[in-house]
């Protein structure tokens, strides 16, 4: 006002209001920018994961687990599913960069495959037993109580936070558990849901390309067999013709 006398003077209250409005606008812009950055990073990660489904020559469970561990900064991941080629149940642990098979008790194994009766992603806090669930029936996440016992005790303590994501690909269905997350939040739940869709799509793509490769190999073997059959027939005809002329 001293430099520009024509400008109207504003009181302290108005200054605080302007400051509050500007701070709110800046915070909102920062949130939007962070979400755009996170979405771009998530899309890139999902694309890289999908590419593994095309390159893999065996079920890419270890690579999927390694990428999940790196993205969510967890040291232990449990992966379980049923169905597939042998219609059997499979339980794996990924820890310290290595994949190993586990054999949980039957009651726990049943709950690991379908821990709550609804195939939805969620974040679960062992201390309270509460879970933030990505409910299919509601627009926003809902809070539900999930009784412990759906994971082996050796992987869960009172301070553990677990993310659970359902996976489904053709005849396969199961769950991936990320153990040891730092917090429960809607943003993290959204990332878990997105990652779960990417894992399912990767497994589905692997099975599709594996079926295509097997079909291509079968057709190639059939073509080789036909060529060999025709070649043998031509050779026999030539031998027969030569023999008849000699007689």
């Amino acid at each position: 006002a001293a430099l520009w006398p024509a400008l109207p003077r504003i009181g302290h209250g108005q200054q605080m209001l302007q400051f509050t409005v500007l701070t709110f606008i800046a915070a909102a812009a920062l949130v939007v920018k962070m979400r755009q950055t996170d979405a771009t990073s998530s899309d890139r990660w999902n694309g890289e994961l999908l590419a593994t489904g095309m390159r893999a020559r065996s079920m890419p469970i270890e690579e999927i687990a390694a990428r999940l561990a790196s993205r969510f900064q967890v040291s232990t991941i449990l992966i379980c599913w049923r169905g597939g080629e042998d219609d059997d149940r499979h339980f794996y642990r990924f820890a310290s960069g290595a994949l190993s098979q586990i054999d949980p008790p039957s009651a726990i194994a049943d709950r690991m495959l379908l821990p709550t009766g609804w195939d939805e992603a969620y974040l679960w806090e062992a201390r309270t037993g509460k879970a933030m669930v990505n409910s299919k029936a509601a627009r926003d996440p809902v809070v539900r109580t999930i009784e412990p016992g759906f994971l082996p005790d050796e992987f869960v303590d009172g301070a553990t936070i677990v993310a659970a994501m359902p996976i489904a690909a053709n005849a396969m269905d199961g769950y991936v558990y990320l153990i040891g997350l730092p917090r429960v939040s809607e943003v993290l739940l959204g990332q878990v849901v997105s990652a779960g869709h990417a894992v399912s799509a990767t497994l589905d793509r692997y099975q599709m390309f594996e079926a295509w490769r097997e079909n291509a190999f079968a057709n190639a073997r059939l073509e080789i067999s036909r060529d060999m059959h025709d070649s043998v027939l031509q050779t026999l005809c030539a031998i027969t013709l030569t023999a008849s002329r000699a007689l």
Side-chain angles (χ1 to χ4, degrees), residues 41 59 108 130 195 209 229-230 233 240:
S41 176
M59 190 77 75
I108 293 179
K130 301 292 185 181
F209 274 86
H229 182 265
D230 293 342
L233 285 180
T240 302

Side-chain angles (χ1 to χ4, degrees), residues 102-115:
I102 61 174
D103 186 20
S106 179
I108 293 179
D110 291 340
R111 288 200 63 191
M112 285 181 70
L113 290 167
L114 193 60

Side-chain angles (χ1 to χ4, degrees), residues 185-220:
S185 70
E186 289 190 28
V187 173
L188 182 57
L189 179 60
Q191 294 173 349
V192 168
V193 171
S194 175
H197 292 328
V199 170
S200 294
T202 299
L203 293 172
D204 189 67
R205 178 169 293 189
Y206 161 75
Q207 294 183 21
M208 180 184 69
F209 274 86
E210 187 65 15
W212 177 83
R213 281 190 290 264
E214 290 180 358
N215 187 58
F217 290 152
N219 289 336

Side-chain angles (χ1 to χ4, degrees), residues 214-231:
E214 290 180 358
N215 187 58
F217 290 152
N219 289 336
R221 287 193 295 268
L222 182 60
E223 289 295 327
I224 292 173
S225 176
R226 287 174 178 172
D227 292 343
M228 290 179 64
H229 182 265
D230 293 342
S231 178

Side-chain angles (χ1 to χ4, degrees), residues 147-167:
E147 296 296 327
F150 62 91
L151 292 176
D153 291 339
E154 62 187 285
F155 301 111
V156 180
D157 59 35
T160 302
I161 295 177
V162 177
M165 60 178 73
I167 55 174

Side-chain angles (χ1 to χ4, degrees), residues 29-100:
L30 181 60
V31 169
V32 171
K33 183 63 176 178
M34 290 177 63
R35 288 184 175 179
Q36 290 175 341
T37 302
D38 181 70
T40 301
S41 176
S42 178
D43 289 344
R44 182 171 61 252
W45 185 89
N46 291 347
E48 292 172 353
L49 186 64
L50 282 170
T52 65
M54 299 172 58
R55 300 191 305 266
R57 293 297 182 266
S58 61
M59 190 77 75
I61 297 300
E62 186 166 4
E63 186 166 359
I64 288 173
R67 288 182 175 274
L68 286 171
S70 175
R71 178 177 180 182
F72 291 97
Q73 296 298 296
V74 294
S75 58
T76 303
I77 294 177
L78 302 181
I79 302 177
C80 59
W81 75 89
R82 59 189 166 195
E85 296 177 357
D86 51 8
D87 197 28
D88 203 354
R89 307 202 305 181
H90 305 267
F91 300 87
Y92 287 91
R93 171 181 56 193
F94 182 84
S96 301
L99 188 72
S100 59

